[in-house]
Amino acid sequence: MSDFPTTARVVIIGGGVVGVSALYHLAKAGWTDCVLLEKNELTAGSTWHAAGNCPSFSASWAVMNMQRYSLDLYRGLAAEVDYPMNYHVTGSIRLGHSKERMQEFERVKSMGRYQGLDIEMMAVSDIKDRYPFIETHDLAGALYDPDDGDIDPAQLTQALAKGARQMGARILRFTPATGVSREGDEWIVHTDKGDIRCEKVVNAAGYYAQRVGEWFKPYGGRTVPMVVMSHQYFLTEEIPELAKWTAENGRKVPLLRDVDSSYYLRQDKNGLNLGPYERNCKAHWVTPDDPMPEDFSFQLYPDDLERLEWYIEDAIARVPILGTAGVGRVINGPIPYAPDGLPLLGPMPGVRNAYEACVFTFGITQGGGAGKVLSEWVMHGETEWDMWSCDPRRYTGHADHDYTLAKAVETYGHEYAMHFPHHEWPAGRNRRLSPVHDKVVGLGGQMGAYNGWERANWFAKDGDDTSEEATLTWGRTGPWQARIREECEAVRDSVGVLDLPGFSRFTLSGEGAAEWLRGRIAGALPKIGRLNLGYFPDSRGRILTEMSIIRHAEDRFTLITASVAQWHDFELLHRALPAGLTLTDRSSGRSTLIVTGPESRALLSGIAQADLTLPWLSHQSATVAGKAVELLRVSFAGELGWEIHAPNADMPAIYDAVLAAGAKPFGMYALNALRIEKGYRAWKGDLSTDYTMLQGGLERFVKFDKPQGFPGKAALLAEKQQGVTKRFVTLRVDAGDCDAPYMSTIWQGGKIVGETTSGAWGYRVGASIALGMVRADLAVAGTQVEVEIFGERVKATVQPDTPLWDPENARIRA
């Protein structure tokens, strides 16, 4: 083929809405030398049979951003590219059956208002005014989203494709990619029509993404964590009553979602479209006797309406006219699911210059925003919004086939579930266990999963309600509350021990390691024998990550970071690593105990051979219970304390000795309460790329005068000169039953002035605390604001820029 492109800047594999949107956004930014490969016709995968619903609603800040952007793009796309589209903005009603559901709606409404969306709460008495065919007797209320509706997925994709082509990008249909190889710094994408050399590759292969992902394993890749689920919906024949109402009113009824029953019901022409997310759902292509076909383009699974029987009956009871019409057509097609139901969007883990834009469960409403985000990753290596919730690196080695299948089935069957702060989902558990896991459980540990690692959230006593049902609340009150208080008081008054498996830890060594590291962090390195916090900014001065830097020698370091940050942070270091330096991931071989409280020195003096007079932020090799350990004088709980780091095999003896010496076990909930009283930031909550180092209150960790440059230095200098627009604050909140969740809106004088980044009850100070960002002029101690918590605005006061507990750090330094 004389016109076959043999080179390109970027090759995108997959011609669904997401891949085409990525091509469109790259071309719009001037990257026109890009090629998209599609094995069949565009939209041949999940896009062609998608229902095409377009909600802006999401309980995730990042996903809401993405969906909001999509809907704004779609409103003007037809005119921009001169391609007609069926796009019906009907609005939608989400039904709430309970107080807890209405609280969730209030929170999402507040987030939406912050992002400029006109989401409304509805009383039961208002629902029939917008949807006359509904039964409302058992409802608590509803939420109305005026921007919701439906779009024709094929037309949307073709419109994006036309726009991309008009700007110079290439789309090759009926040109399946057959593999990839690497030559120097270039990728070679193979097809039956020839090879294409390129700088970067994007896996946008939809439900074939796992198969495409296998091609990248020789270059550092892994099995893509995804499962293909069968999503089934059906269209009724025409309903005369609905047709009459539509003719009289000149519009469709709003899209209806009964999220507590788990289905959507949408008007389709003059009939209805019912789409449940059933608990007794089915995954396909997950066993050897049900292999994925080579090509499933424009195909469907056999009808299986018996699975939906309960949901159909429930929907008919809710909207009786549904039962007056026969089934016109059944759609039962493949939809990819990641374990948490969110897409894989960003850098491909372990593979240089390769990206993923796949496993979209709601690809139509997210497609526009996904294309924007993916193009930013490809062009700049960073995105406008913090997109960690969708980053492929959020899953690490625990996300194997069994885990992914169990979680995908659980997530699909609970697609509309509320994610309560004290609830732990039961599927896919016990993937990674602490060396003392059985001991922790035997002590009453109520476990939670952290990047696959099981950690105790709190410790129950005999008679405590440890049922799953007890956790289905947004409130702080529950069987855990008294126990968290006891655990915090033990750390405050005596000594506690927290088993903390799963820290991400890397060793860095080689001549010049110190100088290289100085050029990656904003601040300074510790002296030999000491440790400190290092912050890694991006090119805009925004907070990429935080690591504890432990210095063993001039050019030898251990870097410790959050469990879930393992692949993210290793890649951040490894991709910039110069020749001659060695970086090794040692996360799996060692574990950690936190021993902390005013009596921790006395406890350790009886079981350890160590210099316990060494100052705060020092480290040493020592022995505890006769086992060699690394002892770090540091405590995230804000009390005198040490971290004990030791090989897994030695940890049981050490844990037994610490307990026998009188330490009280405490859990992650207590640790969260303790850290928030100190104003310590949590990764990807308080610390994210939504904020710069200066906004985050981290200027003391920035050395503008050091001779080394570092990413974002120029941006931070400019920000410092121009003035910071928002600042990190600690708030005392006059909260009621609930503490402020992530991204609660902060108000003053009827205007939105900021947002919370985390919130919890502080048991040492006896108050509800929130960390967050406010307009810079309001970041003054004593300023009165309001925090919106599940629809209720409560008073809050900006605190001095010191920890609420032990502001002079006297207890830590004791």
Side-chain angles (χ1 to χ4, degrees), residues 535-536 541-545 686-689 691-693 696 698:
Y535 287 91
F536 293 73
R542 298 191 184 191
I543 307 164
L544 269 174
T545 197
D686 314 301
L687 302 172
S688 82
T689 56
Y691 308 114
T692 70
M693 293 281 294
L698 301 173

Side-chain angles (χ1 to χ4, degrees), residues 509-574:
S509 61
E511 186 177 350
E515 187 65 15
W516 176 76
L517 199 52
R518 288 188 188 98
R520 307 308 301 171
I521 63 172
L525 294 178
K527 296 177 181 178
I528 296 170
R530 304 300 297 270
L531 64 122
N532 67 8
L533 288 176
Y535 287 91
F536 293 73
D538 68 10
S539 70
R540 304 160 299 178
R542 298 191 184 191
I543 307 164
L544 269 174
T545 197
E546 166 198 84
M547 298 188 202
S548 294
I549 301 177
I550 303 162
R551 194 167 191 178
H552 305 286
E554 176 63 27
D555 282 322
R556 184 163 60 87
F557 301 86
T558 296
L559 309 175
I560 296 181
T561 183
S563 171
V564 73
Q566 181 183 0
W567 284 7
H568 176 281
D569 283 7
F570 185 82
E571 200 161 275
L572 174 68
L573 297 165
H574 189 260

Side-chain angles (χ1 to χ4, degrees), residues 33 40 245 319 384 416 556 561 615 707 711 776:
D33 184 16
N40 198 286
W245 187 92
V319 180
E384 177 184 357
Y416 295 124
R556 184 163 60 87
T561 183

Side-chain angles (χ1 to χ4, degrees), residues 247-325:
E248 290 174 352
N249 290 272
R251 58 184 173 88
K252 291 182 174 184
V253 293
L255 194 157
L256 194 71
R257 288 185 179 84
D258 194 330
V259 288
D260 290 309
S261 293
S262 193
Y263 59 79
Y264 60 81
L265 186 66
R266 190 187 87 203
Q267 183 172 347
D268 192 275
K269 297 179 181 176
N270 287 318
L272 290 170
N273 171 344
L274 177 67
Y277 291 92
E278 70 277 17
R279 297 286 170 86
N280 56 326
C281 53
K282 185 175 182 179
H284 277 277
W285 307 332
V286 293
T287 58
D289 60 350
D290 182 25
M292 175 180 277
E294 283 300 317
D295 191 355
F296 201 67
S297 300
F298 297 112
Q299 296 183 57
L300 296 171
Y301 303 128
D303 300 351
D304 191 10
L305 286 180
E306 287 186 11
R307 287 205 326 249
L308 309 185
E309 185 175 342
W310 183 91
Y311 302 88
I312 295 169
E313 292 175 353
D314 189 81
I316 290 172
R318 180 68 57 201
V319 180
I321 62 169
L322 176 64
T324 66

Side-chain angles (χ1 to χ4, degrees), residues 95-107 121 138-141 260 418 420 472-477 736-738 789-792:
L95 304 178
H97 292 237
S98 66
K99 170 192 171 185
E100 289 76 18
R101 182 65 77 175
M102 296 303 290
Q103 286 177 294
E104 180 202 44
F105 289 170
E106 288 280 9
R107 176 169 180 251
M121 297 297 293
D138 58 344
L139 298 176
D260 290 309
M418 293 174 277
F420 297 108
L472 304 182
T473 174
W474 299 110
R476 95 173 58 82
T477 303
D737 297 332
C738 306
I789 301 177
F790 298 113
E792 180 184 3

Side-chain angles (χ1 to χ4, degrees), residues 514-515 518-525 702-710 713 717:
E515 187 65 15
R518 288 188 188 98
R520 307 308 301 171
I521 63 172
L525 294 178
V702 181
K703 283 184 66 69
F704 287 112
D705 59 349
K706 70 178 182 178
Q708 298 83 7
F710 57 86
K713 184 175 183 178
L717 281 168

